[in-house]
Amino acid sequence: MSQPETTSQPGATPQSGTTPQAGSAGPRHRLVGVPGGRIHLVEQGSGPLVMLVHGFPETWHSWRHQLPALAAAGYRAIAVDVRGYGRSSKPQDVSAYRMLELVEDLAAVVRALGEESAVFVGHDWGATIAANTALVRPDVCAVVALLGVPYSPRGGVRPSEVFARIGGDEEFYVQYFQEPGRAEAEIEADVRGWLAGFYAGLSADTMDTSGEHSLFFVPHGARMADRFPRGPLPSWLSEAELDVCAGEFERTGFTGALHRYRNADRDWEDLAPWDGAPVTQPSLFLAGAQDASVAWLADAVEAFPQTLPNLAASHLIEGCGHWVQQERPHEVNAILTDWLKGLDLPGS
């Protein structure tokens, strides 16, 4: 059932370098009713709508540096909590987290905000959600930017079969996430410590570069965290910012977030009508050069001329890992705003 919209103006603004720039009001938190329940978002600025979609394990907070920058550049920036995260709805059913459900959440947010379409900018899982929104709901997605994870069209092999082959003698992390309750038991025993290790393991300045062990593969009987680096937090993440992230997941748990991974085969079935289909909207790709996703999905990047025929540019930022918009916010903000300036956007 759809929830009524509520709004609030919290006393605190997003942390770490996100003081609103001249000409832009501070961020505003809202709850927007959608057919699947409610979506929490943080809004700043006015102008063409730019929808920011986070990945795992993050929340709207991962876009804290982009909200004021986009607002100051003349855009209405919206950072959502994806279904299962933060203050957004958290259905119990695993299948409620299939891709088509998440696409419809975001399409409903665009319309609830009084707009016909928006720019979609996604990171990690958010990039995949943004790309599929462009594919499935081109009426609401005018242009799309993908951060960290390149677009890879639905193919002929069931994902669970692919994951089994990738793992070999160990479990690929997506397999490790499949059994409800298993990964939750590991993570929720020490939410703050697990997040710190996972963020550090994928950050350019703290990741293990020896190549001996990958945190994406779990030996049988072990924990994913056993291969996390032990040491300081990444330079982009303060203790206070980690507290914000950990506080959200301490409150919500990880089940909703992990259910996204548990829908890979359902998504493959649901997206059969779009098998091999390109995303034809104007697009942009941006990632850290040290992001493992770029190496794994090198074939997807090479296929961009076919899969993203209207790609403006593909940027790899040297010395940057997976958390690109947080590790290198100034460069990301400059690339995004320069790209957006050259587009004829709805509401401009």
Side-chain angles (χ1 to χ4, degrees):
M1 179 178 296
S2 180
Q3 300 282 333
E5 176 181 311
T6 63
T7 65
S8 64
Q9 185 75 42
T13 61
Q15 300 180 27
S16 182
T18 61
T19 302
Q21 301 179 31
S24 67
R28 180 172 63 145
H29 291 247
R30 303 174 64 168
L31 292 176
V32 175
V34 298
R38 69 180 181 278
I39 293 294
H40 168 248
L41 58 86
V42 181
E43 175 180 9
Q44 189 167 355
S46 60
L49 183 63
V50 179
M51 179 87 69
L52 304 169
V53 190
H54 68 81
F56 175 89
E58 302 173 287
T59 65
W60 75 267
H61 188 256
S62 68
W63 300 105
R64 62 196 178 280
H65 303 297
Q66 284 67 51
L67 285 166
L70 288 166
Y75 301 96
R76 185 185 184 187
I78 306 291
V80 300
D81 279 336
V82 174
R83 179 186 295 205
Y85 290 83
R87 291 168 59 195
S88 293
S89 292
K90 300 167 189 64
Q92 296 294 316
D93 185 11
V94 175
S95 67
Y97 294 85
R98 63 208 311 157
M99 181 59 66
L100 293 184
E101 295 276 358
L102 303 185
V103 166
E104 290 307 317
D105 279 350
L106 300 186
V109 169
V110 171
R111 297 296 166 80
L113 295 176
E115 304 290 348
E116 292 297 318
S117 62
V119 175
F120 279 75
V121 181
H123 171 253
D124 185 81
W125 262 123
T128 305
I129 297 168
N132 279 286
T133 303
L135 193 68
V136 175
R137 291 296 306 269
D139 55 317
V140 299
C141 181
V143 298
V144 63
L146 310 178
L147 277 61
V149 175
Y151 173 58
S152 181
R154 189 257 194 206
V157 181
R158 186 174 290 273
S160 57
E161 298 175 13
V162 176
F163 302 147
R165 289 202 299 266
I166 292 174
D169 293 334
E170 299 180 339
E171 280 188 284
F172 187 49
Y173 80 107
V174 180
Q175 289 178 291
Y176 182 71
F177 286 168
Q178 290 304 303
E179 181 184 341
R182 183 185 182 196
E184 288 93 325
E186 173 188 335
I187 301 169
E188 292 171 10
D190 179 14
V191 168
R192 193 179 192 277
W194 197 93
L195 287 173
F198 192 70
Y199 294 150
L202 301 181
S203 298
D205 61 342
T206 48
M207 66 173 57
D208 179 3
T209 58
S210 69
E212 294 181 5
H213 300 292
S214 170
L215 61 80
F216 292 109
F217 296 90
V218 184
H220 292 285
R223 305 175 310 152
M224 192 173 177
D226 292 341
R227 288 180 172 173
F228 289 173
R230 305 285 183 251
L233 293 178
S235 59
W236 58 268
L237 183 66
S238 70
E239 295 285 351
E241 288 167 338
L242 178 58
D243 286 341
V244 171
C245 300
E248 284 293 273
F249 286 107
E250 289 278 10
R251 181 176 58 80
T252 65
F254 276 79
T255 297
L258 290 165
H259 278 349
R260 173 84 289 275
Y261 291 91
R262 295 164 184 158
N263 278 279
D265 282 350
R266 290 187 185 91
D267 293 343
W268 182 78
E269 294 166 359
D270 289 344
L271 294 169
W274 294 273
D275 187 75
V279 167
T280 58
Q281 290 91 329
S283 58
L284 179 79
F285 180 68
L286 172 60
Q290 278 66 57
D291 191 337
S293 299
V294 177
W296 287 348
L297 297 171
D299 290 346
V301 174
E302 291 179 6
F304 279 168
Q306 292 75 46
T307 60
L308 297 175
N310 288 309
L311 181 71
S314 181
H315 299 270
L316 291 181
I317 300 178
E318 292 297 331
C320 182
H322 181 63
W323 317 105
V324 58
Q325 79 269 30
Q326 299 183 80
E327 291 186 54
R328 303 291 276 276
H330 298 299
E331 288 168 73
V332 170
N333 293 347
I335 291 169
L336 285 177
T337 54
D338 286 348
W339 171 62
L340 291 171
K341 286 176 189 175
L343 298 172
D344 183 16
L345 299 176
S348 60

